[in-house]
Amino acid sequence: MIKSLVGGIVAATAFVMLSSAAMAAGPEVVKGPAAEPDCFAPWAADTQFFKFPKKAGPYRIALANGYIANTWRIQMVQTAKAYAAQPDVAKKLKEFKVVSTGEDVPAQISAINNFIDSGFDAIVVNAQNPTAFGPVIKRAREAGVVLVAFDNILDTKDAINVNVDQKGLGALWGKWLVSHVPNGGKVLEVRGVAGTSVDTDRHAGIHEVLDGSGKKWEVTEVVGKWDDGVAQKATADAIATNGPFDGITGQGGDTGIVQAMMDAKHPFVPFGGETENGFRKFCAAHAADGLKCSSAGTGPAQVAVAIKTAIAALEGNVVPQSVKLPLAIVEDPNFKAGQDFFPDQSDNFFVGNSFPTCGINFSAQEIMGQSKENQ
């Protein structure tokens, strides 16, 4: 009995020591500002600041992407590779790995676990679900791995999040419709990938503004998955069954949405949408015909800010737990060729791939020269 009790005490003591060691691997909460305050802007006045234990480089960093089947995600992977290849970044990297796992949340979690088990120093993730990653967030913290989520972020304060105000972006589009459809009416809302934080937040922002406008709205929702082909078909079906519409908002795939309108000979109407080059071409060309656009979002280059944040954290610099990125916004009548859209570039190219405050600015050639494949 005594032997058993002593053994239990020893085991309990060992568990406490191990737990304490694990907690020590995580970041220290410190006072701001961040090491590069213009780049690493805190989300809010009460955002915490992290300081991770400094590690000697070069580092092994992985990108654990989920959904890949649209142009934004493809360009995002290409941008990540282009950023990792820049000389000032490449010299800090021993290895840069990219994996895309599709819409399968367990597969994405498994990929992150594999990177932790393989000894990677940091993992950046575009999360398929904001709330499903609790155990792997804990594992990363205990292993001393810097975990940075961007775009579709994680519902936690134990990892770093890098994002724009996605709900605010939805509200921006909602305000555009309210101001340009003065009597209310029928709206087509083309949503993104179901279950992601981006889709949920943008949708909430749109409806908060519409519902609070005091006007009567009839909203038809379809799923476009931020993809031109999917959004074009969904829009064509919606026009055939519920059209015509007085206004449209699309989270992505907006070039396809406008093409569906043209194919159906649907009148051009006010449109709040993303930053695709093809969409902006249409907005500039058909403004006089009624296609009054608000084009706003953040280019796939936010992945570069996420990687930059991960490296800064590994180097022992102070970073916010939640980093707020600026939106790239252009609205009618201010679409300028060569600045806001590029007539000679692909329709699928997302504009807004520079974050000057972070020293990040990509040419289309740099990005498109990379592959979308896992590496």
Side-chain angles (χ1 to χ4, degrees):
M1 179 69 179
I2 294 175
K3 183 177 180 181
S4 175
L5 181 61
V6 170
I9 293 172
V10 171
T13 303
F15 176 79
V16 170
M17 291 175 64
L18 286 170
S19 297
S20 298
M23 290 302 293
E28 179 186 0
V29 176
V30 298
K31 291 184 178 180
E36 296 183 44
D38 290 337
C39 177
F40 305 132
W43 188 268
D46 60 350
T47 297
Q48 293 182 328
F49 289 83
F50 284 168
K51 184 176 176 62
F52 284 80
K54 183 177 180 180
K55 280 190 176 183
Y59 306 113
R60 300 175 70 208
I61 296 180
L63 166 60
N65 179 48
Y67 188 70
I68 188 64
N70 63 32
T71 53
W72 196 99
R73 290 294 183 104
I74 292 169
Q75 189 176 325
M76 179 271 291
V77 169
Q78 292 172 313
T79 305
K81 292 179 179 180
Y83 184 68
Q86 292 188 338
D88 288 346
V89 179
K91 68 183 181 182
K92 297 182 179 183
L93 300 177
K94 181 179 180 180
E95 181 180 2
F96 182 67
K97 190 82 171 175
V98 177
V99 169
S100 295
T101 54
E103 296 183 71
D104 186 340
V105 174
Q108 189 177 28
I109 292 171
S110 178
I112 297 171
N113 274 318
N114 287 339
F115 286 132
I116 294 171
D117 293 338
S118 298
F120 276 75
D121 300 298
I123 303 165
V124 294
V125 56
N126 196 329
Q128 281 302 115
N129 184 290
T131 60
F133 289 75
V136 78
I137 294 169
K138 183 174 183 291
R139 282 203 70 214
R141 181 184 178 92
E142 291 175 349
V145 176
V146 174
L147 186 62
V148 181
F150 69 98
D151 187 35
N152 288 288
I153 55 174
L154 297 168
D155 187 12
T156 182
K157 291 190 176 180
D158 288 329
I160 300 170
N161 284 321
V162 174
N163 205 3
V164 300
D165 183 356
Q166 301 287 0
K167 185 178 179 182
L169 178 55
L172 179 87
W173 294 332
K175 290 173 184 176
W176 185 257
L177 294 180
V178 168
S179 64
H180 286 77
V181 187
N183 298 318
K186 293 176 67 175
V187 170
L188 174 63
E189 178 189 1
V190 184
R191 299 187 61 170
V193 175
T196 59
S197 65
V198 168
D199 174 72
T200 301
D201 290 347
R202 291 180 177 184
H203 171 75
I206 292 166
H207 284 265
E208 187 172 287
V209 170
L210 295 183
D211 294 345
S213 68
K215 301 177 182 180
K216 186 176 180 180
W217 303 95
E218 181 184 336
V219 181
T220 297
E221 296 179 25
V222 296
V223 175
K225 291 193 172 183
W226 306 316
D227 177 77
D228 279 337
V230 177
Q232 183 172 340
K233 184 180 185 307
T235 299
D237 292 344
I239 290 173
T241 56
N242 287 3
F245 298 100
D246 303 301
I248 294 176
T249 181
Q251 294 191 21
D254 299 331
T255 308
I257 296 170
V258 178
Q259 188 62 56
M261 295 169 65
M262 295 169 68
D263 292 344
K265 296 181 171 49
H266 188 288
F268 286 119
V269 295
F271 194 138
E274 250 280 0
T275 62
E276 298 104 320
N277 194 44
F279 174 56
R280 289 187 170 186
K281 288 181 190 179
F282 278 141
C283 292
H286 296 289
D289 304 321
L291 187 63
K292 304 294 186 182
C293 300
S294 172
S295 173
T298 180
Q302 63 177 283
V303 68
V305 182
I307 297 169
K308 180 181 175 74
T309 306
I311 293 173
L314 289 168
E315 292 176 334
N317 294 310
V318 175
V319 295
Q321 183 272 320
S322 188
V323 177
K324 188 173 186 177
L325 299 177
L327 287 170
I329 305 171
V330 183
E331 296 181 332
D332 180 79
N334 298 317
F335 290 91
K336 296 180 176 62
Q339 174 182 304
D340 305 308
F341 67 96
F342 300 89
D344 297 332
Q345 294 294 336
S346 165
D347 287 351
N348 293 333
F349 185 76
F350 278 79
V351 185
N353 274 299
S354 66
F355 291 98
T357 56
C358 294
I360 292 169
N361 187 23
F362 293 100
S363 68
Q365 290 75 17
E366 281 182 283
I367 295 170
M368 296 308 180
Q370 303 291 332
S371 74
K372 68 176 183 179
E373 308 302 330
N374 291 344
Q375 71 175 29

